Amino acid sequence: MQVATLLGLARSLAIYHAVPGRVGRLRRLYAPFVPAGGLCFDVGAHAGNRVRCFRALGARVVAVEPQREFARLLRWMFGRDPSVVVVEAALGAARGLATLHVSARTPTVSTLSPAWLERVRAEPSFRDVRWEPGPSVVVRTLDDLIAHYGLPDFVKIDVEGMEEQVLAGLSQPVAALSFEYLGITPDLAAACVDRLASLGDYRFNWSPGESMRLAGADWLDAARMRERLPAICARGGSGDIYACLSPQRASTLAPDTLAPGRERPGAGRRATGAWPRTR
């Protein structure tokens, strides 16, 4: 393993596992969405901090990660846990192969999207980031995961400009999910909102940066979320947009009255009788 890759791996571990208080804040954020015994897809699992959080909440996890070094790390961390499956692949709109553009020293921003890369590399916050064409990786879809592992209770998507394509590979609504947004690419966030609105009657909220708190006083429908996006993105930085399928359920998830996670009838059901271990 090259020195730059080792440094990038160490950097990600420090960012996602060494910050005091992060674990507790993550659990409080995700508890309303992740029922004990449920199923989560962590798309862009990276260093595994969300996987660890979902397991602490009692959920089974499918961790999807295309970077080989981080897939190996995830297997080392969770390989003895029968409730975690590591899928070494990327997700997109359709099955196939794609080139991973790798940033060895800052692997959190490795991407499959050359268009996204060209947009962000000119921004000051990315001025020190360097990408190189990396390996060809397998691309699957969310529909593939659902067919194999079952319908998830929650899907976390963090894929550096590929969020819209990942959602394009989903043909049915899921109970709840999150996707990353960047302030410098508000159009991509809007496209994700539109895609979800085409699948179901979602309500939306957002969590800026690594605050791990929902910022909106109310959950918004798709039209109101699109209206709010320019102001959210104008603040710069990044964050995550949360989507909840049921308006009634969203009303119980107000930021000041987040309820404990609840079992949703039929959620997390498996497509087969056993929990598959296919990687």
Side-chain angles (χ1 to χ4, degrees):
M1 191 179 296
Q2 296 181 350
V3 172
T5 302
L6 284 171
L7 289 173
L9 189 67
R11 181 178 184 274
S12 289
L13 286 171
I15 290 172
Y16 293 108
H17 291 282
V19 178
R22 178 187 291 268
V23 172
R25 295 198 302 272
L26 275 178
R27 290 183 188 178
R28 287 191 292 272
L29 174 64
Y30 287 116
F33 306 103
V34 179
L39 175 63
C40 295
F41 293 168
D42 187 348
V43 182
H46 200 58
N49 66 322
R50 262 64 174 183
V51 178
R52 178 166 288 169
C53 173
F54 298 153
R55 285 296 297 125
L57 292 169
R60 295 169 291 125
V61 185
V62 177
V64 183
E65 175 54 52
Q67 297 187 72
R68 181 170 300 171
E69 293 79 9
F70 284 92
R72 288 174 177 168
L73 173 67
L74 292 168
R75 292 192 184 103
W76 177 77
M77 294 173 69
F78 303 106
R80 295 185 180 181
D81 187 342
S83 292
V84 176
V85 173
V86 178
V87 177
E88 188 174 335
L91 294 192
R95 299 175 189 171
L97 297 172
T99 298
L100 182 66
H101 299 269
V102 176
S103 177
R105 289 183 177 269
T106 50
T108 53
V109 294
S110 294
T111 180
L112 263 66
S113 174
W116 178 86
L117 186 158
E118 291 302 323
R119 286 185 67 178
V120 304
R121 74 189 322 164
E123 295 295 325
S125 57
F126 286 84
R127 64 177 175 269
D128 295 325
V129 179
R130 300 291 181 269
W131 290 271
E132 297 292 339
S136 180
V137 298
V138 172
V139 180
R140 299 183 182 180
T141 69
L142 278 172
D143 281 346
D144 289 338
L145 294 189
I146 291 171
H148 197 74
Y149 300 107
L151 189 67
D153 296 273
F154 185 78
V155 181
K156 182 225 97 181
I157 304 170
D158 185 350
V159 289
E160 310 309 315
M162 287 288 290
E163 287 79 10
E164 181 184 3
Q165 288 86 347
V166 170
L167 291 173
L170 177 66
S171 62
Q172 61 181 299
V174 296
L177 57 82
S178 69
F179 61 87
E180 186 186 33
Y181 71 87
L182 284 182
I184 57 179
T185 57
D187 54 311
L188 300 185
C192 291
V193 170
D194 288 345
R195 174 59 184 166
L196 289 170
S198 75
L199 295 175
D201 187 16
Y202 280 95
R203 294 296 183 270
F204 299 88
N205 211 314
W206 69 98
S207 177
E210 288 292 318
S211 65
M212 300 177 200
R213 297 189 62 171
L214 297 176
D218 299 298
W219 287 77
L220 309 178
D221 62 20
R224 292 172 64 203
M225 188 65 200
R226 280 187 61 94
E227 292 174 358
R228 188 68 61 86
L229 272 174
I232 295 170
C233 291
R235 298 185 179 98
S238 63
D240 296 284
I241 293 175
Y242 287 75
C244 184
L245 182 60
S246 166
Q248 291 76 25
R249 185 177 183 223
S251 68
T252 72
L253 301 177
D256 293 331
T257 57
L258 289 177
R262 297 172 182 164
E263 187 72 39
R264 180 172 61 87
R269 65 179 183 272
R270 303 172 190 176
T272 61
W275 175 235
R277 296 291 297 166
T278 302
R279 286 172 164 80

